Amino acid sequence: MKNLLIPVLLSALVLPGAGQMFNREKIKGVALMVLFLALSVALCVLVVFAVLPHIPRDGSTMSYLEVQALGTRVMVEKGRSIEATWWAMITVWAFGILDAFLGARARARANAPKK
């Protein structure tokens, strides 16, 4: 049971692909890590380039209501791209967890003593 839980927790809490690395599925683990990190960078770039044009350049601060309006404006303008990237990240994360469990279970069955 413990050997089934470790890869699941690694993929869920550390990084998708870490559980696959624990299960000795290195290519799949690296692929999941690279994909998740690429999606993370893409999300950050999307948000930064959506927010950057609306930030005041004269050094003034924005009030809470202005920041809230900026968030609304960004989601209206770029919300679909941001949301699609977010859902892709969640899908890779969930796949990593499920695949880590299935890989650990298959490895446990292969290493189990024959009756």
Side-chain angles (χ1 to χ4, degrees):
M1 180 66 178
K2 183 179 179 183
N3 288 337
L4 294 178
L5 191 59
I6 291 172
V8 170
L9 290 175
L10 285 171
S11 282
L13 302 176
V14 176
L15 187 67
Q20 284 73 10
M21 298 292 277
F22 183 85
N23 288 335
R24 298 184 188 121
E25 299 173 305
K26 291 184 181 11
I27 294 173
K28 191 185 299 184
V30 169
L32 280 170
M33 287 179 183
V34 168
L35 180 59
F36 187 79
L37 293 174
L39 287 169
S40 299
V41 169
L43 181 65
C44 291
V45 168
L46 279 170
V47 171
V48 165
F49 282 112
V51 170
L52 205 55
H54 304 292
I55 294 178
R57 303 247 190 278
D58 59 2
S60 63
T61 60
M62 297 174 68
S63 71
Y64 170 77
L65 292 176
E66 290 172 323
V67 172
Q68 190 175 18
L70 173 59
T72 301
R73 181 185 303 161
V74 165
M75 288 310 289
V76 166
E77 293 174 3
K78 303 287 184 188
R80 287 189 181 192
S81 300
I82 291 170
E83 188 176 341
T85 307
W86 176 252
W87 280 109
M89 286 177 66
I90 290 174
T91 302
V92 170
W93 177 73
F95 174 80
I97 295 169
L98 178 63
D99 186 69
F101 171 75
L102 294 175
R105 188 174 68 176
R107 198 171 70 151
R109 285 182 179 166
N111 294 338
K114 306 289 183 199
K115 293 184 182 182

